[in-house]
Amino acid sequence: MKKYKLVAAFAFIFTTAAAAANIAYAVSPPFARTDEEWQKLRDNKLEYGEIAGLIKEYNPTVQDNQIKFFRFKKDYGIKNSEVSDAYKKMAEDILKDIDEGDPDSPSYASQRATAQQSKVQADNLLKSADDTLEDAEIYRLNYENTEMQLVQLAQNNFLSYFSKQLTVEKAKADKEFAKSKLETVKAKLAAGAATQVEVLDAQEALIKGEQAETDAQSAVNTVKQKLIISCGWAYNAEPEFGEIPELDLSRIDAMNPTADLEKALANNYTLKVNERKLANASSQTQKDTQNNAISSNKSNIASSVTEAYQNVITARDAYTYANTNSQLQKSNLETAKKRYSLGAISLIDLKKQENDTINAEIAYKQSVYALQTAISAYEWTINGLAKATS
């Protein structure tokens, strides 16, 4: 029996209620996806390639923003002029309902205070009507920006989940080596070849190793909860995790920061919003402010593209080193095994090399995930999420 995500069930209830209330659904209508697509999103398996769809359909923030967007259009309209008119209408309604109070009434003072507050509120709304640069498209762009950021974060957390599991493996390996070292030191102490201080140091190393394992497992659980909640599961759910996509180094070859900058500028959500505000601006002051913001945005986006690319190169270099080191440690282990068989090294020396080899392989795998994260970050930078503000 398939286990459906908790939010998916709530979404069905909400959709039914929403239909009765004639408000926007918090999820896409059934015809927006094929039955096969819906089935994959609603099963109990979390796959990397489905993250964007899961965030769109089941993320609480995205659902809430969809409702807010519908309400904004309903209450304020689509165009900037309609938004301005809506503020004016609200101000007029407030002014119309103001009650100055009866001077002979015991509550006259409080009535006057309430009336004054209403006037201030109306004045603020009238000022907003004059100053507002908002329209529905700006809200849509901001909400879409939020959605894409959530997708990127969930993708990062997916990779981080597997990377942190490797940290648990490393902690376990280090702990086992610490146990072996403690046993060796105790044996040496019994033979008069070690001191009590060395035993205490080995015991402390084991305690630290046990704590490191606990901390690493806690980090896995934390990132897992963040990930599954963002994708629609309950915090204590146990979805099956799909495989991590294969590392594709050709994605790096396709990067060209100079040429990609044009795409990053065209796609950037913050820049689009400020350009939209400039189009809605009426006063010269507003136009100057938006032009300054746009200029700053473009400069920051260019810096973001360069930084994202440099991060990819740094991650690729770390990946190359980690791969080389892993192969070296494997070779060293084979040598250590031969030397141990010949009595040239001790058992604890062999175990140390075994641990070094495990750690090197884990570091290599984690470098793969780190490189994938950096590649994804560059692509998101080009596709609209470049940091446009200081």
Side-chain angles (χ1 to χ4, degrees):
M1 180 178 180
K2 294 180 180 178
K3 183 178 180 182
Y4 286 82
K5 292 178 278 294
L6 181 65
V7 174
F10 285 160
F12 174 78
I13 297 172
F14 173 80
T15 300
T16 304
N22 195 31
I23 62 174
Y25 296 161
V27 292
S28 300
F31 58 78
R33 301 178 187 273
T34 66
D35 290 343
E36 182 180 2
E37 289 173 335
W38 281 119
Q39 185 176 2
K40 286 183 178 180
L41 290 180
R42 290 168 178 162
D43 64 19
N44 199 43
K45 187 172 185 178
L46 175 50
E47 299 188 74
Y48 185 88
E50 294 177 354
I51 287 176
L54 291 168
I55 294 293
K56 183 176 184 61
E57 304 301 342
Y58 304 117
N59 181 271
T61 298
V62 174
Q63 290 179 333
D64 186 49
N65 285 345
Q66 288 176 355
I67 297 172
K68 288 179 179 177
F69 182 53
F70 173 83
R71 287 175 177 168
F72 178 86
K73 291 190 294 183
K74 180 176 180 293
D75 294 339
Y76 297 95
I78 304 296
K79 301 177 182 179
N80 175 252
S81 59
E82 294 175 320
V83 176
S84 179
D85 289 343
Y87 283 131
K88 291 176 183 177
K89 178 65 167 56
M90 286 188 286
E92 291 172 359
D93 290 343
I94 290 173
L95 292 172
K96 181 177 61 177
D97 293 337
I98 289 178
D99 182 3
E100 297 290 349
D102 182 358
D104 296 328
S105 171
S107 59
Y108 179 66
S110 63
Q111 290 174 336
R112 288 287 297 170
T114 301
Q116 186 60 34
Q117 290 176 353
S118 296
K119 288 179 181 179
V120 171
Q121 185 180 5
D123 288 342
N124 288 336
L125 286 169
L126 290 173
K127 187 177 186 306
S128 296
D130 293 334
D131 296 342
T132 184
L133 301 177
E134 298 173 333
D135 61 21
E137 178 62 8
I138 288 174
Y139 272 75
R140 187 195 69 78
L141 287 169
N142 282 330
Y143 288 150
E144 187 173 314
N145 185 18
T146 297
E147 180 180 333
M148 295 305 104
Q149 289 177 348
L150 288 168
V151 172
Q152 182 188 18
L153 178 59
Q155 290 175 342
N156 289 347
N157 282 339
F158 189 94
L159 293 170
S160 179
Y161 171 73
F162 284 90
S163 182
K164 290 184 184 302
Q165 284 187 319
L166 290 172
T167 302
V168 174
E169 291 183 22
K170 179 183 184 303
K172 288 180 177 179
D174 289 344
K175 183 185 70 175
E176 291 305 312
F177 177 66
K179 284 182 180 179
S180 297
K181 193 169 183 180
L182 176 59
E183 292 170 0
T184 300
V185 173
K186 283 182 176 179
K188 286 184 176 181
L189 177 66
T195 66
Q196 186 63 41
V197 173
E198 289 176 298
V199 173
L200 292 175
D201 288 343
Q203 289 175 334
E204 183 180 1
L206 176 57
I207 292 172
K208 289 181 177 179
E210 291 171 341
Q211 185 60 50
E213 182 183 356
T214 300
D215 293 343
Q217 186 59 58
S218 176
V220 170
N221 295 339
T222 297
V223 75
K224 175 187 174 183
Q225 284 189 348
K226 290 180 179 178
L227 174 60
I228 64 176
I229 289 173
S230 70
C231 291
W233 277 270
Y235 77 96
N236 59 347
E238 293 294 338
E240 177 186 355
F241 280 77
E243 298 293 327
I244 289 179
E246 291 290 329
L247 175 62
D248 182 4
L249 295 177
S250 67
R251 290 162 68 186
I252 301 177
D253 298 332
M255 295 176 183
N256 184 332
T258 302
D260 291 342
L261 176 57
E262 184 177 348
K263 299 176 186 175
L265 292 169
N267 293 331
N268 189 263
Y269 287 101
T270 301
L271 182 57
K272 286 180 180 179
V273 166
N274 283 328
E275 288 175 338
R276 185 79 178 181
K277 288 181 177 179
L278 176 61
N280 291 337
S282 56
S283 71
Q284 190 59 47
T285 299
Q286 289 176 326
K287 292 177 181 179
D288 290 343
T289 299
Q290 292 311 125
N291 277 319
N292 289 336
I294 289 170
S295 177
S296 177
N297 290 160
K298 291 180 177 180
S299 176
N300 289 328
I301 290 168
S303 297
S304 293
V305 171
T306 300
E307 181 181 358
Y309 181 71
Q310 289 302 322
N311 288 342
V312 171
I313 300 306
T314 299
R316 184 183 64 183
D317 291 344
Y319 157 79
T320 301
Y321 169 79
N323 186 21
T324 301
N325 187 55
S326 178
Q327 297 305 316
L328 174 62
Q329 295 305 323
K330 288 177 182 178
S331 177
N332 289 345
L333 179 58
E334 292 304 313
T335 300
K337 287 179 179 178
K338 292 177 183 178
R339 295 186 67 196
Y340 176 71
S341 67
L342 297 173
I345 62 172
S346 66
L347 178 59
I348 194 63
D349 290 333
L350 175 60
K351 287 183 177 294
K352 181 180 184 305
Q353 184 56 54
E354 288 175 341
N355 192 56
D356 289 345
T357 304
I358 292 172
N359 285 344
E361 178 65 12
I362 288 174
Y364 164 65
K365 290 179 180 178
Q366 289 181 321
S367 76
V368 173
Y369 302 152
L371 180 53
Q372 287 176 308
T373 300
I375 291 172
S376 176
Y378 179 86
E379 292 172 345
W380 276 114
T381 296
I382 303 304
N383 291 326
L385 298 188
K387 187 177 179 182
T389 57
S390 301

